[in-house]
Amino acid sequence: MTIAELWLHYAVPILLAVLLARALWALIAVELCARWLLDNAHRDLSPADEDGPWLVVLLPMLREQALAPETIAAFTALDYPRERAAVVAITTEREDNARRRDRDRLPALAAISHLTEAQLHGLFPRARCGDIADQVNAAPGEKRLPLLTELYDAEPTTRETVATLADNQPAVGLRLVHLHQPDTGGRKAGQLNHAVEHLDEILGPLGWHDENDADDTFLCVYDADAIPDVRTLASFAETVTRHRALTGRPPSLIQQQRLPLLGRRPFPPGATGLLLAGEWLYQLRRSLGIELARIRLTQWLTTTHVPNPIRALLRPMIYGVGCGMTVHLPTVRDLGGFPEPMEDLGTGHRLSLLGADIAPAPIAVLDEPYTESRGLTNLHALAFLTSARPDRHARAVAHLPSALSPIGKVLLVLREWADEVAWLTGAPLIASAVISACWSGPLCFALALAGVLLHGPILTARLIKLVPALHATVIPTIGHIAAAPRPTRAVRAELIACSPSQPFIRLAGPWRMILRHITGHSTTFGKTER
């Protein structure tokens, strides 16, 4: 039998069966998890009392002076006893050092004949870059540099903005604490760990004592662009109480589901905007059908009597999400802090390998989808880099007691490696099988058609329909939140038609990083500009 015959008669049917099974699972998982969030949105939560867990909201910020006032106002207004929670905004000296270095770039920028908005990204808040570029371009040549310098020096840093908010905070709402991290390198995880080292300063004024209260303390991690539901902290307290009642111990991780449904910035026009809008829906699909589905499965395996071999086979690797990730304080300390370079994926992987208790929060949080391609490419590359070496995470927690057997740990590591291989090669292989179905007989053709339709257009159409209802589940603490993206009828049709190609978009970041590594070029992961 030739290689072509082996491909057509064996490989193609198997790959198409995998496509169809994956498509059916994705459709079912998205539907079940969306329904779970929608049902919980209408359920009355028990109000938190003064005996609820201590909750510390951590907001690491880097060049977030434009968003900081809105974000801090949203989180300090969360419904929770003021005596049991605090909001911590963590700025970093890295921003101030970079600002001093970037000032040396101003003469070269002022000399550009037509300064563009993109050339100012990283120097000013994104929303102001266009206006500043217009002002500089309209100025006479000899005044361009003084004008740009004046505008640059007048822009407050995140540190200055947060310090002002902390000094002038109202007497109502949760207490705001401002911490400033020295420039010790690292990323978001370093800022979080800096806050963990200063818990006495954060909670001490409320009567918190480490030796007595650490076991009842949780750290709630968010991105600076997030908009929380007013019931968020109450839902965490209820989740802790329910989990204790079922298992006799607190959860190590509570994951609030991130929904990328904020519409602060529109998608760019043209093909780039269409691809980014497609990725927005793909992020929503992943949030529901993979991240939330895996956490709910893990919780079910933890709280029900399942034979150990079946539990080991079914237990998934959890992908922590650093917008709504709430971690038990003793767990963070056992792990040696939040891990670099991605505090969320690293924490999720390490807790999965320890067989830790992980629970979903019934209330979602909103944040922004990616509206520029570079940030999206960086995200995919960094996520792949962090996920591709689960063996390193296993070694990092090998000294800690684990609820998993050695075989269970090996299965998790192998499963994660299989996921990464599928990420790199799955889309091209499946696409080849779909094309080859034309020569593999009518059954294969039917499998290919059903798999492609379910995996792409049908699920995409369903997600578009779910967006308004999911967005409405979040009750904001502030009066108005930016509406979720609402594609026109024509754009909806384009998104549905282009949906089968979306898995290829996610290949760009990992493959670019791999190729740069092979050719001896380092990959840098910049901040998403807002």
Side-chain angles (χ1 to χ4, degrees), residues 327-478:
V327 192
H328 193 212
L329 174 59
T331 297
V332 174
R333 289 174 170 170
D334 288 343
L335 294 177
F338 291 97
E340 295 277 6
M342 292 188 77
E343 83 297 334
D344 46 8
L345 283 178
T347 299
H349 279 43
R350 295 180 185 193
L351 293 183
S352 297
L353 289 160
L354 292 175
D357 289 8
I358 299 174
I363 302 298
V365 59
L366 301 181
D367 76 347
E368 296 182 71
Y370 281 83
T371 56
E372 55 95 18
S373 55
R374 182 178 179 182
L376 185 63
T377 302
N378 280 343
L379 169 70
H380 290 158
L382 188 54
F384 180 85
L385 180 65
T386 305
S387 300
R389 294 301 304 271
D391 55 314
R392 290 182 178 173
H393 294 300
R395 287 196 296 272
V397 297
H399 64 289
L400 298 174
S402 175
L404 297 187
S405 66
I407 293 177
K409 291 182 181 179
V410 170
L411 286 175
L412 269 184
V413 170
L414 292 177
R415 189 177 295 129
E416 186 60 22
W417 273 335
D419 281 349
E420 302 312 301
V421 171
W423 187 349
L424 288 180
T425 64
L429 271 177
I430 294 294
S432 300
V434 168
I435 295 170
S436 301
C438 299
W439 295 275
S440 296
L443 178 59
C444 284
F445 182 80
L447 281 174
L449 182 61
V452 169
L453 288 176
L454 286 172
H455 196 271
I458 291 176
L459 184 51
T460 298
R462 179 59 181 152
L463 286 168
I464 292 173
K465 189 173 182 180
L466 284 170
V467 163
L470 289 171
H471 184 270
T473 63
V474 176
I475 304 171
T477 56
I478 54 181

Side-chain angles (χ1 to χ4, degrees), residues 208-241:
W208 181 87
H209 298 284
D210 197 324
E211 60 275 13
N212 298 325
D213 299 315
D215 191 55
D216 202 26
T217 303
F218 292 81
L219 308 174
C220 315
V221 180
Y222 286 92
D223 289 333
D225 63 336
I227 293 293
D229 188 296
V230 67
R231 304 162 294 174
T232 291
L233 299 187
S235 77
F236 291 160
E238 184 181 88
T239 301
V240 171
T241 301

Side-chain angles (χ1 to χ4, degrees), residues 287-342:
S287 181
L288 297 170
I290 296 180
E291 293 162 5
L292 180 53
R294 289 189 178 193
I295 293 169
R296 293 185 66 203
L297 173 59
T298 299
Q299 186 189 42
W300 179 79
L301 291 172
T302 302
T303 57
T304 56
H305 296 290
V306 180
N308 286 334
I310 295 177
R311 183 180 285 112
L313 286 172
L314 293 181
R315 191 175 183 96
M317 183 73 85
I318 296 301
Y319 301 127
V321 180
C323 186
M325 183 177 72
T326 295
V327 192
H328 193 212
L329 174 59
T331 297
V332 174
R333 289 174 170 170
D334 288 343
L335 294 177
F338 291 97
E340 295 277 6
M342 292 188 77

